[in-house]
Each structure stands twice: as C-alpha cells, then as structure tokens.
Amino acid sequence: MPGEVIHGHRHDDHQLIYVARGVLAVQTEHGAWVACADRAVWVPAAAWHEHQAYGDTIAHTLMFPVQDPPLPGDSPTVVAVSALLRELLIACTEPELTAGEIHRIRAVLGDRLRRADVRALTLPSAHDPRLAYACRLVLDDLSRPRTIAWLSRQVNASERTLARLFRTEFGTTYPQWRTNARIIHAMIRLAEGATVTETAHLCGWATTSAFVDIFARTMGQTPGSYRSTSAS
C-alpha cells in the first residue's frame, strides 16, 4: 500500500527485497537504499532495517540461510535485476509451489545473484554530527540549491572541514552525494505519480532537460520510462 511503513526490525536470515512495481525505501543503520523494478536490496542477517512504500507497490521478499549466502553477508547491497532475475524472483514467491520446484528455482536464482552487478546508489548514514546536520538540511528541501559554503555556515564548520567529512565518511564529494540524494528522491516522486517536470523542480534541477540527462546516465533509462515502469 502507498505510504505503508514496516517499522524497524531484524531477521535471523538474510533477506532480498525486490519491488516489481512502485518503490520501496529501505533504511538501515548503514544508510538508505531504494528497491525498484531494476534494483533489489540485500539486507544481511541481524541487520536492523525498516521499509516505506511509495506509489502502488508490489514487493517480493526472499529469505536466505546464513550458511551459504549468494551475496556478501557483512553489509546491505543493491544489485541489478536483469529480466531473467526478475522472473526468478517473482516465480520464487508464487503460492503453492512444490518443494522440488522451489529448490530448482532457488538454485538458478542463487547462481544469477552471484553474477549480478552491484549498483551502489545509496545515502550512507553520517557519524559526525556536523555532517549529519548538513545532510538533513539538504534533504529537508532538495529544491533549494544548497552550496557547501552555505552548509558550512549552518553547521559551524569550515568549507574545507565539511568537504573532508563528505570524503572520509561517504567516500564522495558533496556534489556527488547531493546528486545521489536527488536521484533517490526523484525515484520516489516519480513512483508517487509526479510528472517529470514536477520531479525536476522538487529535486532541485535547474531545468527538466538537465534532470532527464543525469537521471538517464545514472539509472540507464529516462525518468519518463522509469515512471511508466514503476506505475505498470
């Protein structure tokens, strides 16, 4: 259901979350990820996490024992979902499958997951309180083009210090982090039914064409195509 929240919890087994339609935002202690039609989120066993659905969402979740995981078991991961992987994920959650059918499908699924590309589009959690506050200021209103100079004044840190915190904690620059934040929130807005132009404005792009270009280069499809897929 749109807006539905599954509050923080943990599992004894690993979990793979795939969304055939809509968008599911996954928040963990490590940061925030988005599951959608071409990206699934892998949540390791014992990792705290919560979900929130955006748009008309159809989600599929699969559990994997800790003994032989098809993906790394130390931290959450986003994996690319090919056409074959999509069908396997959906088939695995069909009701009334026999034990033999489940075993065979999951064997192929495990092989494909081990070969899946990792697509790291994430918003990591900040540890330094100045960096955490700066991130919160940006995320509270992405439509405003917050510069690092403006942010440094708000958090009482020099521009050099704040830039260093982005590099040391997130392994990226402030502009790169903000682009990721805008893309993730654009995915949510599009899934909720916003137009491409509305989404470009809400997420801080100066022009719709600039938004289309950056979204397509990041996601491998235009926002219009993504919007259609998320709603279908």
Side-chain angles (χ1 to χ4, degrees):
M1 293 290 291
E4 182 180 1
V5 177
I6 300 177
H7 294 289
H9 60 286
R10 303 174 192 269
H11 299 292
D12 292 333
D13 294 329
H14 304 300
Q15 184 180 44
L16 185 68
I17 305 169
Y18 173 65
V19 176
R21 185 171 69 198
V23 163
L24 194 72
V26 181
Q27 180 72 44
T28 78
E29 294 168 334
H30 300 275
W33 285 259
V34 171
C36 58
D38 67 351
R39 295 167 190 248
V41 177
W42 171 260
V43 182
W48 177 94
H49 60 289
E50 64 182 17
H51 318 149
Q52 181 166 356
Y54 296 91
D56 186 10
T57 301
I58 298 176
H60 302 266
T61 59
L62 291 172
M63 309 304 294
F64 295 83
V66 297
Q67 295 85 355
D68 185 28
L71 292 166
D74 54 347
S75 63
T77 303
V78 176
V79 296
V81 176
S82 64
L84 175 58
L85 190 50
R86 168 190 166 88
E87 296 306 319
L88 290 168
L89 289 167
I90 293 173
C92 270
T93 58
E94 290 179 359
E96 301 179 359
L97 289 175
T98 67
E101 288 173 321
I102 293 173
H103 177 75
R104 290 189 292 272
I105 293 172
R106 287 183 71 102
V108 179
L109 175 63
D111 288 341
R112 300 316 302 174
L113 284 173
R114 291 181 180 92
R115 292 177 173 271
D117 293 330
V118 174
R119 293 192 174 178
L121 184 63
T122 181
L123 291 181
S125 297
H127 299 292
D128 187 286
R130 295 166 296 179
L131 180 59
Y133 184 37
C135 292
R136 190 161 61 250
L137 288 172
V138 175
L139 294 174
D140 282 346
D141 189 355
L142 283 168
S143 68
R144 293 181 177 273
R146 305 297 195 189
T147 65
I148 198 163
W150 183 87
L151 288 173
S152 66
R153 291 193 295 272
Q154 308 308 307
V155 304
N156 295 317
S158 69
E159 291 182 45
R160 179 176 294 181
T161 296
L162 193 54
R164 176 180 53 79
L165 287 171
F166 273 99
R167 290 193 303 271
T168 55
E169 290 210 21
F170 297 162
T172 187
T173 66
Y174 167 61
Q176 290 168 334
W177 174 87
R178 183 170 180 262
T179 295
N180 282 350
R182 292 194 293 170
I183 291 290
I184 286 175
H185 284 269
M187 294 165 67
I188 291 171
R189 298 301 185 191
L190 292 167
E192 290 179 319
T195 67
V196 173
T197 299
E198 289 169 340
T199 302
H201 172 71
L202 289 169
C203 295
W205 273 277
T207 65
T208 301
S209 60
F211 167 51
V212 171
D213 177 62
I214 294 174
F215 190 96
R217 284 193 279 117
T218 303
M219 300 296 297
Q221 60 181 320
T222 66
S225 175
Y226 174 85
R227 184 176 185 271
S228 299
T229 301
S230 297
S232 63

